[in-house]
């Protein structure tokens, strides 16, 4: 099959390839396996490059349009390489009432960027997002798989200082990592 | 009744080890499954849940056992979906259920799947709950290893597979047909009902979609019986409910109380009142999609489906957003209208365009460019949206919008500048 979009071949670990094979095995149709397979690739690479789309088309027997449909409808899927640390701040009602606006202003000041922008060095991006299900724990932000909650300007400073040194501090939702250790 | 007596769902909340299989088993976990599988017929389970009065806790409040009863008895394949896409602003109870007690949800899902004769169950968790997806997956793996999932569960001849499915950021997937379509591998756009999913859902087969809190109550009902469950709550609103409370109250969090208690008691005993310096102005009691009530109205309400409906709102998801006097209601509704505009899936014109109109009109008021006609126009746009779309997202935007306008009109009027030069009003605005 001819793939005009592809510039470089997809580099995917054996582990992710195995995960994709397991998903195809468990889901009743190739198309129903598409969303979890996109996740496997994004969790390893951080985004969905054109070569990944080719891979999904070939592996699952779905159309290219179907893959693009999912990539553009669901806001968590990324079709461009993201910043190293994407800070997603909730700006919905509960967090708003609890002071999200001040936290966003503080983040913008400290990072020197506005909501929706990334720092020129590609280290940080700042996004405003809708309710993340941490309403009684606001204001809050999401970084990767975890939530930083009950934010104050001091807590934000501490987080940024650590991330600048490439240390990801323990998140409020990290507790099980210690329990299960 | 003391707080401890009604811990049907929240017994392990806040505990560091409650998510472990061994802890769950030591406290009676998976005993309900042992009592049910091979001992009771699926229809007996459905009857027991009907008798318990359990109603869907995701928002609609439909009787769970009745929903299960809609599945055709001669179906060759049935699917069971747990809706863990918890995305309704103000709601964070399912997160607690999965974080502190994933096995309770899993056991409830197995029994519920058995009742409707499903052999494949999906737990659809919103993608943003990354750490929770790992936690639930780990619990599912434990359940497989212990023989509670897979082929011939507990040697009783029942097979069930369970897949933890990760969402990817779309509020609309919390609507049951949107959720089913999402797992099919398409955009999560809702489908017209009927046919209802219980008759024709995932891949055209009968499919039951239940909220996490709904299935989590099932093991307790199996062990203690329908009558014991009905002993909590009111006649029509049986059992207990989890309330997710956010806002500047003394105690935020998730609270389990029997349905029907007076809000005033709940506010005093559980929330501890507002924080110092804050005054209670308004409450959105059931997640952002239900009408707002004033503090005075709330203080006269009981927390059950019927009382809240009588008061002009809905119990919804139980996502209780406490609004202080310091909050600007026009700003708050802007935040909500941005949300519905952002999350409208785009397939129905009244919703896709209407949410944008509402969002832009409120933005205009906030910029100081509002004219008197704008408040009427807000009402008109709402009239052109409610009840006219495939799913209730348009209504979910209209209910807060209209109730904010109705109950806090003075704050909107204060944003209108009588001297502002009206642009050329549209024919719609002129009412032609």
């Amino acid at each position: 099959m001819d793939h005009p979009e592809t510039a470089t071949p997809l580099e995917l670990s054996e582990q992710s390839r195995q995960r994709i094979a397991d998903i195809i095995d468990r889901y009743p149709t190739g198309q129903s396996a598409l969303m979890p397979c996109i996740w496997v690739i994004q969790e390893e690479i951080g985004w969905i490059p054109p070569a990944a789309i080719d891979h999904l088309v070939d592996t699952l027997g779905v159309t290219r349009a179907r893959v693009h449909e999912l990539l553009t409808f669901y806001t968590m899927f990324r079709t461009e390489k993201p910043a190293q640390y994407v800070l997603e701040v909730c700006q919905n009602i509960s967090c708003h009432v609890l002071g999200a606006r001040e936290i966003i202003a503080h983040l913008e000041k400290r990072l020197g960027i506005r909501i929706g922008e990334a720092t020129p060095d590609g280290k940080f991006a700042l996004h405003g997002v809708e309710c993340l299900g941490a309403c009684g724990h606001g204001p809050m932000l999401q970084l990767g798989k975890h939530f930083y909650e009950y934010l104050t300007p001091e807590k934000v400073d501490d987080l940024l200082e650590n991330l600048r040194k490439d240390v990801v501090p323990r998140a409020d939702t990290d507790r099980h990592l210690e329990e299960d250790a | 009744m003391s707080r401890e007596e009604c811990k049907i769902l929240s017994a392990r909340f806040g505990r560091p080890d409650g998510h472990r299989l061994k802890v769950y088993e030591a406290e009676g976990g998976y005993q309900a499954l042992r009592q049910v599988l091979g001992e009771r017929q699926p229809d007996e389970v459905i009857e027991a849940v009907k008798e318990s009065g359990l109603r869907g806790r995701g928002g609609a409040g439909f009787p769970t056992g009745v929903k299960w009863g809609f599945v055709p008895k001669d179906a060759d394949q049935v699917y069971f979906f747990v809706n863990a896409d918890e995305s309704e602003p103000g709601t964070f109870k399912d997160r607690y259920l999965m974080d502190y007690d994933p096995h309770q949800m899993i056991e409830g899902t197995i029994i519920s799947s058995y009742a409707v004769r499903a052999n494949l169950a999906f737990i659809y968790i919103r993608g943003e709950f990354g750490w929770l997806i790992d936690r639930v997956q780990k619990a599912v793996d434990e359940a497989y290893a212990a023989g509670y999932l897979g082929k011939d569960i507990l040697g009783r001849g029942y097979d069930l597979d369970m897949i933890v499915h990760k969402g990817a950021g779309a509020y609309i997937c919390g609507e049951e047909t949107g959720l089913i379509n999402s797992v099919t591998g398409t955009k999560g756009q809702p489908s017209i009902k009927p046919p209802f999913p219980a008759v024709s859902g995932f891949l055209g087969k009968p499919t039951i979609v239940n909220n996490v809190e709904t299935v989590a109550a099932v093991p307790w009902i199996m062990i203690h019986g329908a009558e014991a469950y009905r002993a909590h709550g009111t006649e029509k609103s049986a059992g207990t409910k989890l309330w997710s409370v956010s806002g500047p109250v003394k105690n935020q969090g998730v609270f389990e109380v029997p349905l029907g208690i007076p809000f005033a008691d709940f506010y005093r005993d559980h929330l501890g009142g507002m924080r110092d310096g804050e005054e209670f102005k308004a409450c959105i009691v059931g997640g952002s999609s239900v009408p707002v009530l004033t503090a005075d109205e709330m203080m006269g309400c009981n927390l059950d489906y019927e009382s809240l409906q009588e008061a002009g709102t809905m119990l919804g998801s139980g996502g209780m957003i406490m609004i202080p006097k310091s909050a600007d209601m026009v700003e708050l509704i802007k935040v909500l209208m941005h949300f519905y505009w952002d999350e409208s899936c785009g397939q129905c014109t009244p919703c896709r365009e209407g949410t944008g109109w509402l969002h832009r009109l409120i933005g205009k008021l906030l910029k100081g460019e509002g004219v008197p006609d704008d408040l009427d126009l807000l009402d008109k746009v709402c009239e052109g949206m409610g009840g006219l779309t495939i799913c209730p997202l348009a209504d979910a935007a209209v209910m807060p919008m209209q109730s904010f306008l109705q109950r806090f009109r003075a704050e909107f009027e204060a944003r209108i500048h009588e001297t502002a030069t009206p642009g050329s009003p549209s024919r719609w605005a002129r009412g032609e």
Side-chain angles (χ1 to χ4, degrees):
Chain A
M1 199 187 266
D2 186 31
H3 297 308
E5 287 184 44
T6 310
T8 47
L10 179 69
E11 282 181 30
L12 201 61
S13 67
E14 200 42 53
Q15 197 191 1
S16 289
R17 286 176 193 276
Q18 189 54 51
R19 278 184 71 195
I20 288 177
D22 291 344
I23 287 166
I24 294 170
D25 222 30
R26 297 198 74 193
Y27 276 71
T29 65
Q31 193 177 315
S32 66
L34 177 54
M35 198 165 164
C37 289
I38 293 174
W39 268 125
V40 170
I41 296 171
Q42 184 162 309
E43 282 170 7
E44 180 178 329
I45 303 178
W47 63 296
I48 304 298
I53 297 174
D54 295 337
H55 184 75
L56 291 163
V57 168
D58 290 346
T59 317
L60 298 173
V62 294
T63 63
R64 188 170 296 277
R66 188 65 79 190
V67 182
H68 281 287
E69 176 185 322
L70 264 60
L71 292 179
T72 51
F73 184 81
Y74 295 98
T75 56
M76 292 186 79
F77 292 144
R78 294 170 176 156
T79 50
E80 285 172 13
K81 192 174 183 210
Q84 188 182 354
Y85 300 115
V86 181
L87 306 175
E88 300 182 292
V89 195
C90 174
Q91 39 186 16
N92 212 299
I93 185 163
S94 300
C95 283
H96 182 93
V97 167
L98 293 164
R101 178 178 285 191
E102 288 75 22
I103 293 299
I104 290 169
H106 189 76
L107 276 159
E108 287 181 332
K109 197 171 127 198
R110 283 285 189 265
L111 294 171
I113 53 175
R114 302 288 302 272
I115 278 269
E117 294 176 350
T119 54
D121 61 0
K123 187 109 181 158
F124 294 100
L126 185 61
H127 294 168
V129 296
E130 300 297 353
C131 184
L132 291 174
C135 314
H137 302 214
M140 59 79 67
L141 65 80
Q142 176 174 14
L143 172 62
K145 277 187 175 180
H146 285 284
F147 290 179
Y148 293 84
E149 304 176 324
Y150 308 106
L151 292 178
T152 59
E154 295 73 34
K155 198 167 168 180
V156 166
D157 287 343
D158 183 59
L159 173 64
L160 294 182
E161 198 181 313
N162 275 292
L163 292 178
R164 285 204 171 95
K165 292 184 282 188
D166 285 328
V167 175
V168 180
R170 183 178 178 275
D172 295 81
T173 51
D174 248 341
R175 62 181 187 84
H176 69 285
L177 296 180
E178 289 167 19
E179 293 158 22
D180 290 344
Chain B
M1 186 174 294
S2 81
R3 287 187 196 188
E4 299 309 314
E5 278 175 273
C6 67
K7 285 202 169 180
I8 290 175
L9 300 163
S10 61
R12 280 167 288 277
F13 280 15
R15 284 182 30 189
D17 58 357
H19 62 287
R20 294 176 191 277
L21 177 62
K22 280 192 175 134
V23 172
Y24 185 63
E25 284 176 328
E27 297 180 9
Y30 290 106
Q31 286 306 316
L33 187 67
R34 289 177 193 281
Q35 287 186 18
V36 167
L37 284 194
E39 304 290 325
R40 295 190 219 175
Q41 290 301 311
D43 288 348
E44 293 175 56
V45 178
I46 295 180
E47 276 312 307
V49 170
K50 269 187 201 169
E51 283 168 27
S52 75
L54 177 66
R55 294 166 66 170
R57 301 290 193 231
F62 192 80
T64 305
V66 176
K67 191 179 198 177
W68 294 358
F70 292 150
V71 174
K73 299 294 173 222
D74 56 352
D76 60 334
Q77 182 128 37
V78 180
Y79 296 102
F80 195 91
F81 283 53
V82 177
N83 186 344
D85 194 46
E86 184 163 69
S87 307
E88 174 76 6
T91 314
F92 52 105
K93 65 190 176 64
D94 296 338
R95 163 188 169 168
Y96 276 51
L97 284 166
M98 291 187 280
D99 204 358
Y100 292 115
D101 210 346
H103 283 289
Q104 179 177 241
M105 171 187 73
I106 293 167
E107 185 182 14
T109 305
I110 304 169
I111 296 169
S112 305
S113 300
Y114 172 76
V116 300
R117 300 175 170 88
N119 297 112
L120 179 58
F122 287 91
I123 316 277
Y124 189 108
I125 307 179
R126 67 177 298 180
E128 292 88 342
F129 282 163
W131 87 98
L132 271 188
I133 291 164
D134 292 348
R135 165 153 292 193
V136 173
Q137 183 63 59
K138 197 176 270 184
V140 167
D141 293 345
E142 281 182 313
Y144 265 104
Y148 298 129
L149 281 169
K151 293 259 178 255
D152 193 22
I153 295 170
L154 300 172
R156 312 280 176 86
Y158 174 61
D159 304 339
L160 181 69
D161 266 314
M162 188 176 287
I163 296 178
V164 178
H165 186 95
K166 182 178 185 179
Y171 170 67
I172 195 60
C173 293
E175 197 279 342
E176 62 177 1
T177 59
L179 187 145
I180 290 169
N181 290 337
S182 178
V183 180
T184 309
T186 65
K187 297 188 286 268
Q189 293 182 319
S191 305
I192 292 174
K193 297 191 262 192
F196 288 91
V199 177
S200 176
F202 184 56
L203 305 176
K205 301 293 182 185
T207 304
I208 290 294
V209 184
N210 281 147
N211 177 254
V212 175
E213 187 184 346
T214 314
V215 296
V218 170
W220 195 96
I221 293 169
M222 291 300 119
I223 294 275
H224 298 87
E227 204 173 314
Y229 190 73
R230 294 196 77 96
H232 303 282
T234 69
E235 195 195 334
K236 287 184 178 165
S237 294
T240 62
K241 175 81 191 92
L242 295 177
W243 295 93
S244 333
V245 183
S246 61
V249 289
K250 289 222 171 80
N251 310 310
Q252 300 182 95
V254 178
F255 304 92
E256 182 176 15
V257 294
L259 282 158
I261 67 164
F263 171 79
D265 292 356
F266 180 70
Y267 178 72
R268 185 191 61 226
D269 298 342
H270 292 267
L271 311 188
M274 300 300 280
R275 290 179 192 164
D276 295 337
E278 299 281 9
E279 202 176 313
F280 179 29
K281 175 158 90 174
C283 176
I284 306 179
V285 74
S288 70
S289 305
V290 309
V292 67
L293 294 186
T294 64
D296 282 350
E297 286 175 302
M298 267 321 288
M299 285 300 188
C301 277
N302 290 347
L303 295 174
D304 59 73
Y305 293 98
E306 289 69 34
S307 306
L308 290 168
Q309 198 168 355
E310 269 171 42
T313 187
M314 295 191 298
L315 185 142
S317 63
M320 190 185 284
I321 304 161
M322 300 292 289
I323 300 173
K325 198 171 182 187
S326 55
D328 178 335
M329 299 307 270
V330 185
E331 257 183 29
L332 287 194
I333 201 70
K334 173 79 165 25
V335 166
L336 287 185
M337 291 307 114
H338 181 277
F339 170 73
Y340 291 105
W341 167 70
D342 200 21
E343 297 294 349
S344 172
C345 82
Q347 69 174 334
C348 306
T349 310
C351 176
R352 182 185 63 240
E353 301 303 322
T355 51
W357 270 82
L358 297 176
H359 175 239
R360 285 191 300 275
L361 278 167
I362 304 289
K364 198 177 151 197
L365 295 186
L366 285 171
K367 274 190 267 174
E369 295 168 3
V371 296
D373 281 353
D374 287 340
L375 300 193
D376 294 336
L377 183 54
L378 283 170
D379 269 331
K380 277 215 174 68
V381 174
C382 288
E383 283 167 25
M385 295 170 67
L388 297 171
T389 51
I390 290 172
C391 88
L393 193 142
D395 305 85
V398 164
M399 282 189 279
M401 183 67 244
Q402 285 182 322
S403 59
F404 268 63
L405 255 185
Q406 185 196 343
R407 292 186 169 83
F408 299 95
R409 198 168 182 95
E411 291 193 37
F412 288 82
E413 283 169 347
R415 294 283 187 166
I416 299 290
H417 293 257
E418 296 290 344
T419 54
T421 317
S424 170
S426 67
R427 284 201 310 165
W428 195 5
R430 294 197 303 269
E432 291 169 18

